[in-house]
């Protein structure tokens, strides 16, 4: 574990971007295309900050998250702020480009698996085990009923509209047209882990 790769579309090959920064498994990365900073999270509280402002010269820095649980997802919604979620209801937040991370209590103790933020959403939409949906609008967490009890594994919001989708175990697909305030279960036709 612990390596970060980049695909070169010109040569159709993969190359190592950051090697040996950590030996921990890496689980997710922030993917905002309008920022020069990408954060990567992994097991045992691992956070790596990548500066991608200079093409072909990416710098990687291992940060101190202050937690030792597995981190499952991370999002950055501004140039200097980001949030990460993980096991046992872990939510950590930075407002200084990752120099320090603050643990906040989202009011749940289940594993938090995924989060999303976009222009139409105030703060973050977070999903987790046992149908958990939490909205974070700094500094307030609100638990939202998803209408399901299966583990929710991923969530995605669209930037120009209030559409949000979440997927989970047993082929579960949820949809919200009001930025995650209410959810409708959609039929996926699939009955396994999504």
């Amino acid at each position: 574990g612990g390596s970060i790769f980049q695909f070169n579309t010109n040569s159709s090959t993969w190359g190592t971007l950051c090697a040996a920064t950590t030996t921990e498994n890496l689980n997710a990365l922030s993917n905002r295309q309008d920022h020069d900073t990408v954060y990567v999270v992994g097991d045992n509280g691992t956070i790596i900050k990548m500066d991608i402002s200079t093409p072909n010269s990416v710098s990687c820095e291992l940060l101190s998250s202050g937690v030792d649980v597995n981190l499952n997802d991370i999002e950055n919604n501004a140039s200097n702020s980001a949030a990460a979620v993980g096991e046992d209801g872990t939510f950590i937040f930075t407002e200084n480009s990752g120099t320090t991370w603050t643990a906040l209590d989202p009011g749940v103790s289940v594993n938090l698996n995924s989060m999303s933020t976009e222009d139409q959403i105030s703060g973050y939409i977070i999903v987790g085990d046992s149908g958990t949906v939490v909205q974070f609008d700094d500094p307030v967490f609100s638990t939202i009923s998803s209408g399901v009890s299966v583990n929710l594994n991923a969530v995605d919001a669209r930037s120009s509209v209030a559409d949000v989708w979440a997927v989970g175990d047993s082929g579960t697909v949820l949809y919200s047209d009001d930025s995650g305030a209410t959810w409708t279960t959609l039929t996926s036709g699939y009955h396994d882990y999504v």
Side-chain angles (χ1 to χ4, degrees):
S3 293
I4 301 169
F5 298 92
Q6 176 181 14
F7 185 74
N8 183 323
T9 56
N10 294 329
S11 65
S12 296
T13 59
W14 286 92
T16 303
L17 210 57
C18 297
T21 305
T22 180
T23 59
E24 298 292 344
N25 292 328
L26 301 176
N27 302 323
L29 55 90
S30 61
N31 59 0
R32 296 282 300 222
Q33 295 181 6
D34 55 344
H35 296 304
D36 289 333
T37 301
V38 174
Y39 293 95
V40 179
V41 294
D43 290 353
N44 294 310
T46 299
I47 300 180
I48 298 169
K49 178 182 173 181
M50 298 187 329
D51 180 346
I52 60 171
S53 60
T54 306
N56 302 319
S57 179
V58 173
S59 66
C60 299
E61 175 185 3
L62 185 63
L63 303 176
S64 175
S65 68
V67 298
D68 60 4
V69 299
N70 294 345
L71 296 173
N72 298 323
D73 203 4
I74 189 161
E75 286 281 336
N76 55 323
N77 68 351
S79 60
N80 63 347
S81 70
V85 294
E87 293 178 331
D88 304 324
T90 298
F91 181 94
I92 58 175
F93 187 70
T94 183
E95 293 182 304
N96 56 15
S97 301
T99 301
T100 58
W101 294 83
T102 303
L104 300 176
D105 182 3
V108 298
S109 59
V110 298
N111 292 341
L112 299 175
N113 301 322
S114 181
M115 63 192 310
S116 188
T117 184
E118 290 295 347
D119 299 339
Q120 296 299 315
I121 294 177
S122 178
Y124 299 92
I125 295 288
I126 306 159
V127 298
D129 289 357
S130 303
T132 299
V133 177
V134 177
Q135 186 167 24
F136 175 67
D137 188 2
D138 191 11
V140 177
F141 287 95
S142 303
T143 302
I144 299 167
S145 174
S146 68
V148 300
S149 59
V150 298
N151 294 345
L152 297 175
N153 303 314
V155 63
D156 189 43
R158 296 290 103 196
S159 61
S160 60
V161 293
D163 295 332
V164 185
W165 290 266
V167 296
D169 292 356
S170 302
T172 300
V173 177
L174 301 178
Y175 170 71
S176 171
D177 63 3
D178 56 9
S179 300
T182 59
W183 295 87
T184 301
T185 302
L186 303 177
T187 302
S188 72
Y190 191 68
H191 301 288
D192 209 345
Y193 175 90
V194 178

